Structures are given as structure tokens and as C-alpha cells.
Amino acid sequence: MEVPFYLSFNEFENRYYDNLEKWFEEFRNTSEIDYLKSLSELYSPYLYYNFANDRLQTDASIHIKNCFFPYYEKMGLSFCTSCGNGKQKQTGMNHVFEWKTITMMEYAQHILDKINRYFLKNNISPKTQNVLDYINNQKIITSKDGAGYCVNYSQHQSTISFLKAYLPCYGQTVDIAVYRDFMFSMVQIAECIDQKLKAVQAFENTIHFKAKSEAKFKVQMSHQFLMICN
């Protein structure tokens, strides 16, 4: 069973027991704790622990390569990242990139644009093709159309649940109102999951516990790095 990803707390809450029943139908020898663990893993990537407020907060972003073509004095059909170093000039266009952090809404729009460009290039009517059928097509998703974001296909796998819930089946733009609801709902959903886990004494599996532990680990690693540098 693929656990559904919800963008609003009300929908998550209203569908919780229906989905739990489906879970038991498919996985007969499991418990509700197993289902809650699955939910915890599903929503954790969109949350982080805030030390100042001692609470979870939404972090809907992704680290991605922002690719571009470098400028060289000798412009032409060939771009070479090793020109001027005594190496042979290469043919083709080589991307140079810098890392950039963008919101999941921007990422979703980028994926949607890629799919719609594919429709246009192949004379496919966007009114007859469901966008969601193409969100994990490696050839489309990783295509490089000049400069712009370069999608890592392995990293892209972690966004599929969100994209399935957020992207429109047909159309060229994402809905900012739905995204806003998603941003407000993540903490509520996490707190609901954590309350149910606490009720069965599974504290170490709560999103809050895992996020706080991860945050502490990052702080400790930063302190150790600074000590080594000094």
C-alpha cells in the first residue's frame, strides 16, 4: 500500500481511519504503530526542529543544482570548461552549476514546466494527458533544456509523494493557495502523528524526537568542525 500524502490537516484527519483500515487489509500482521511509523517517515522531510521555540516548523525546500553555461572569450558552437588550461577543446555544451535552495512550490512548477514542454515538443495535447503519469519519467525529468535547474533523479524520488498530491492533473501552473495550506498543515499533521505515537509509548518514533535529535547532531558536528579549524 502506498501511504497517501495529504496537503491539508483536515483531509489527513478525516481520512486517517479509512487509510488505517486499508493498511490492515494489506498488512495483516502489523499494528497501528507500524502505520504511524510509516507516516512519520513520510512527513519528516518537510519539518525541522526549532531550538528557540522548542517546536517543529515546516521546512518545504530542496537543494538543487542551478545550471548555466559559462562565458568564454571565444564564443561559438563549443563550450569548454577546461579551455585555457592547455587541454584540448571539447565539443558540446558543458553545464556549470551552483547549489541553490528553492521551495517545493518552485520545484513542483519546474517539474510541471518540463512535462508541458515535453507535451509541446511531441505534439501531445495537455488536455488528454494526465501530468501525474509523467512526474517520474526519468528522460523527461532529467532533460537539460539549456540553463536552469538540473534535477537529480535519485533525489527526485523523495519528492514523488508531494508532487502526486500537489501537481494538477491538467494545466501549466501550480496553486499557491493549496501550497499555503500545505505550509500551515505540516506541523498540525506532525503533532497529530506524534500524539498517537505517544499514546502507545513509542516516543522515539515521534517526528519531534527524531527532528530534535538530528538538530542536536548537526550542532555538535558544527562545534567539532569549528574546534578543528581553530
Side-chain angles (χ1 to χ4, degrees):
M1 172 187 173
E2 183 177 353
V3 179
F5 186 92
Y6 293 108
L7 303 175
S8 74
F9 173 69
N10 288 337
E11 191 174 11
F12 171 85
E13 187 178 41
N14 293 335
R15 297 288 298 170
Y16 178 82
Y17 289 105
D18 289 337
N19 289 323
L20 179 59
E21 185 177 349
K22 292 178 182 177
W23 172 275
F24 286 140
E25 288 176 357
E26 184 163 345
F27 307 107
R28 297 181 182 279
N29 296 319
T30 59
S31 66
E32 186 174 1
I33 296 179
D34 297 312
Y35 179 63
L36 288 166
K37 287 180 181 179
S38 180
L39 290 177
S40 177
E41 292 176 1
L42 185 63
Y43 289 98
S44 289
Y46 302 98
L47 296 146
Y48 76 100
Y49 175 76
N50 186 314
F51 277 105
N53 300 323
D54 187 27
R55 66 189 301 270
L56 294 172
Q57 288 189 202
T58 305
D59 179 22
S61 62
I62 189 169
H63 209 41
I64 193 171
K65 290 180 180 180
N66 187 28
C67 300
F68 58 92
F69 294 125
Y71 172 79
Y72 296 104
E73 291 182 0
K74 296 181 180 181
M75 298 296 292
L77 296 177
S78 176
F79 292 81
C80 179
T81 56
S82 59
C83 295
N85 295 326
K87 296 181 181 180
Q88 186 176 0
K89 184 176 292 187
Q90 299 174 357
T91 58
M93 294 184 290
N94 297 290
H95 286 88
V96 173
F97 69 88
E98 60 182 3
W99 288 104
K100 186 175 182 180
T101 300
I102 62 174
T103 66
M104 288 303 296
M105 183 174 72
E106 292 176 288
Y107 184 76
Q109 183 64 62
H110 178 63
I111 298 301
L112 185 59
D113 290 342
K114 278 182 171 287
I115 295 171
N116 277 296
R117 280 197 296 270
Y118 173 80
F119 288 163
L120 183 63
K121 287 181 179 179
N122 292 275
N123 295 318
I124 298 174
S125 172
K127 295 181 179 180
T128 61
Q129 296 294 317
N130 189 330
V131 166
L132 301 184
D133 293 335
Y134 295 84
I135 60 173
N136 205 23
N137 184 305
Q138 185 171 5
K139 182 178 179 181
I140 297 173
I141 300 307
T142 60
S143 63
K144 295 181 177 65
D145 300 318
Y149 299 133
C150 295
V151 176
N152 179 292
Y153 188 69
S154 295
Q155 182 189 38
H156 178 72
Q157 301 309 301
S158 66
T159 71
I160 296 298
S161 295
F162 169 80
L163 294 175
K164 282 184 178 180
Y166 183 54
L167 284 179
C169 294
Y170 307 94
Q172 299 184 355
T173 57
V174 296
D175 191 332
I176 190 171
V178 173
Y179 188 78
R180 192 181 297 116
D181 194 19
F182 158 73
M183 292 293 290
F184 284 123
S185 294
M186 284 301 98
V187 173
Q188 287 181 286
I189 291 174
E191 289 175 345
C192 180
I193 294 169
D194 284 359
Q195 286 175 5
K196 292 181 183 296
L197 283 167
K198 289 176 183 177
V200 292
Q201 306 296 310
F203 300 101
E204 71 282 358
N205 296 119
T206 62
I207 297 175
H208 185 277
F209 178 85
K210 291 190 291 185
K212 187 174 183 178
S213 298
E214 184 179 345
K216 285 183 177 180
F217 176 76
K218 289 181 179 179
V219 170
Q220 291 173 354
M221 292 299 292
S222 296
H223 288 167
Q224 290 178 9
F225 176 75
L226 290 173
M227 290 176 64
I228 293 173
C229 291
N230 292 331

